[in-house]
Amino acid sequence: MQAGGPDSTAASEAPSSGSEDSDCEFGPETEAEASLTEEWARELLVDWGVVDPQEIRVESRAGVAGALSRVLAVTVRYESNGERHSLPLVVKLPPRDPFGRLFVAEAQFDTREILFYTELAPALNKLAQEALGPDECLPVPRCVKAKLPDEIGGDSELVLEDVTSVGFDSADFAEGLSVDRARAALFAAARLHALSLALRDREGPLDQRFDFLFPCERAAAGYLRLVRRGLPQLEAFLRGRSDCVEEAAAVSVLSARAPSLLGTLLQPAEPASLAHADFWSGNLLFRERDGINECIALDWQMVSLGRPMDDVALLLLSSLTPELRRAIGDSLIDDYGDRLEAECVRLGVASSGEIVRRSLKQDWPRAALRALLLCAGSVDVALGEPRAEQRLLEAVRDLYAQGILDLKAESES
């Protein structure tokens, strides 16, 4: 999980994407700012379709350095055809730290996200516009400019529209999502899943055309890091409470079993859709327009073939209060299923939508355990904030009570 939404103007990164710590250095990114010159902005504007931009000025508004990237919020001001304009942007650059830069390069986090925005998202948007209408699209920011690294560990660059300039804002993680925001997030996920099922139906398995998708075996290695890092912290947290003795013991057993479980937890099922794979409130932005909540998803470094329930379960367990999750979790899954089926019907893949819909509830144990491991890997995001701690504690209690912590690997069945 990535705390704060690194594609927004106020961002931080947490370890679920593989980093070893979640600390961020807030303040001006002077070295990065030096690279965002007038010539950089001119090239960007021309590529964006601006005719003969003049009087160009780049203004930095905010910056954050995390384990996986440096993120800058900038505004490019310019004149064209006698009129003044401004273009608010978010610029994502590799970390300066050599170790972090090498880790990002080896895991292809920056490359994967750039290729998502330049290859996969355009293919999904083209399909959406053809099948659903000219204004329909994937709920993501528009990509303004992208540059892949020339070599392993080299410089990359991803420039996105800053959607906070049009009313989108981050959610308060500790407070948890409201019902309307949770539903908006699940509808955004349904759009992604349905479009990917339709593209699969048209072109075949998506990982054949988009070979940058996070492969299961590499994801398993990343999750193993999370298990070894996060579950002992979670166990220690539970053992510090006198009312969680059984849950702590179950997590201790899970720590030993988790490596053998990873293949079961991460294996896609047919029909295989895309999964965001880190779908929680910190990677989402929201706005309300005409009484309707809208959601945009950020941070696509881990996009992969997966199961729709992976994104649904992570959102419910990580981003809703325990009271709200228990009260309406099942109805939110039903709402998601209804929207997914409706989208699939509109896209001409009704049978795929029906298959996925029928599998949602039965896939909950696997997806919920995967979500718990992801949350455990980012346990330091919750620790120290009483409401977030309680949410994590209640998630463990509920999964323990449901027998989900005892889920067996397929090889053990």
Side-chain angles (χ1 to χ4, degrees):
M1 293 178 350
Q2 301 196 348
D7 292 352
S8 64
T9 56
S12 64
E13 293 191 6
S16 71
S17 294
S19 65
E20 285 298 328
D21 86 46
S22 59
D23 294 336
C24 295
E25 302 169 6
F26 289 85
E29 289 288 299
T30 53
E31 183 178 315
E33 290 168 7
S35 70
L36 306 184
T37 63
E38 178 182 330
E39 287 307 309
W40 171 86
R42 184 183 305 280
E43 179 182 343
L44 180 147
L45 290 169
V46 171
D47 290 345
W48 190 240
V50 176
V51 177
D52 191 25
Q54 301 292 327
E55 302 294 328
I56 298 170
R57 188 169 76 254
V58 181
E59 299 175 356
S60 178
R61 292 180 283 118
V64 57
L68 300 185
S69 63
R70 290 174 288 146
V71 185
L72 295 172
V74 305
T75 298
V76 175
R77 302 191 185 278
Y78 64 96
E79 182 177 304
S80 179
N81 295 325
E83 297 183 358
R84 299 294 302 171
H85 302 273
S86 63
L87 182 60
L89 302 170
V90 170
V91 183
K92 300 188 73 172
L93 303 168
R96 291 198 187 98
D97 172 62
F99 176 81
R101 182 179 284 252
L102 181 60
F103 175 72
V104 166
E106 289 180 341
Q108 295 187 306
F109 287 124
D110 56 344
T111 296
R112 186 174 301 107
E113 185 167 33
I114 287 171
L115 292 175
F116 167 80
Y117 276 106
T118 57
E119 293 187 10
L120 184 48
L124 295 172
N125 283 332
K126 182 173 184 290
L127 179 58
Q129 290 158 9
E130 291 173 354
L132 306 178
D135 296 326
E136 301 287 348
C137 61
L138 199 63
V140 299
R142 289 181 298 172
C143 178
V144 178
K145 179 184 178 184
K147 174 184 175 294
L148 289 167
D150 295 328
E151 58 185 3
I152 295 177
D155 288 332
S156 63
E157 182 181 79
L158 178 63
V159 184
L160 305 171
E161 64 171 334
D162 184 355
V163 295
T164 64
S165 67
V166 291
F168 283 92
D169 199 3
S170 59
D172 184 331
F173 170 63
E175 182 177 327
L177 295 180
S178 67
V179 175
D180 289 339
R181 284 189 165 186
R183 188 174 289 112
L186 291 174
F187 287 175
R191 169 60 60 91
L192 166 71
H193 299 151
L195 283 172
S196 65
L197 289 170
L199 191 61
R200 171 192 175 276
D201 186 73
R202 178 180 292 189
E203 299 192 5
L206 296 181
D207 56 349
Q208 292 184 8
R209 174 178 171 186
F210 305 103
D211 59 1
F212 57 85
L213 293 172
F214 208 19
C216 181
E217 60 274 13
R218 181 169 291 176
Y223 272 80
L224 187 56
R225 286 187 75 192
L226 294 180
V227 168
R228 290 172 172 166
R229 177 189 186 277
L231 284 181
Q233 292 185 60
L234 178 58
E235 181 186 348
F237 167 66
L238 295 172
R239 291 195 184 281
R241 300 179 59 102
S242 60
D243 56 345
C244 295
V245 175
E246 293 183 355
E247 290 85 349
V251 169
S252 179
V253 173
L254 179 62
S255 295
R257 296 178 55 244
S260 65
L261 278 170
L262 291 175
T264 298
L265 298 181
L266 301 175
Q267 189 63 41
E270 293 297 332
S273 74
L274 292 174
H276 180 282
D278 203 9
F279 197 76
W280 72 297
S281 61
N283 286 337
L284 306 172
L285 296 177
F286 299 89
R287 73 176 177 188
E288 183 177 340
R289 192 164 64 172
D290 298 328
I292 298 174
N293 277 272
E294 301 175 344
C295 174
I296 275 184
L298 313 171
D299 288 344
W300 293 87
Q301 296 101 323
M302 294 176 66
V303 61
S304 59
L305 285 185
R307 307 190 200 188
M309 198 62 185
D310 290 340
D311 290 338
V312 175
L314 181 58
L315 185 81
L316 297 184
L317 284 171
S318 69
S319 304
L320 273 63
T321 65
E323 297 78 14
L324 188 61
R325 172 173 53 79
R326 291 165 180 156
I328 66 165
D330 285 344
S331 66
L332 285 174
I333 293 173
D334 287 336
D335 290 343
Y336 163 81
D338 290 343
R339 175 59 67 95
L340 176 72
E341 276 200 288
E343 294 264 299
C344 285
V345 168
R346 295 174 67 197
L347 290 162
V349 286
S351 61
S352 293
E354 291 172 5
I355 292 171
V356 172
R357 174 66 184 274
R358 287 197 303 267
S359 72
L360 291 177
K361 294 291 179 68
Q362 68 190 47
D363 199 29
W364 167 257
R366 181 206 59 81
L369 187 54
R370 173 196 173 277
L372 179 64
L373 293 183
L374 197 55
C375 291
S378 296
V379 67
D380 48 354
V381 175
L383 298 185
E385 210 301 324
R387 292 171 296 177
E389 286 184 354
Q390 191 65 28
R391 187 182 313 164
L392 179 60
L393 172 62
E394 297 301 331
V396 173
R397 282 176 169 164
D398 288 349
L399 298 190
Y400 174 73
Q402 295 169 25
I404 289 175
L405 300 188
D406 298 323
L407 182 73
K408 294 184 181 299
E410 290 180 356
S411 60
E412 301 171 339
S413 301

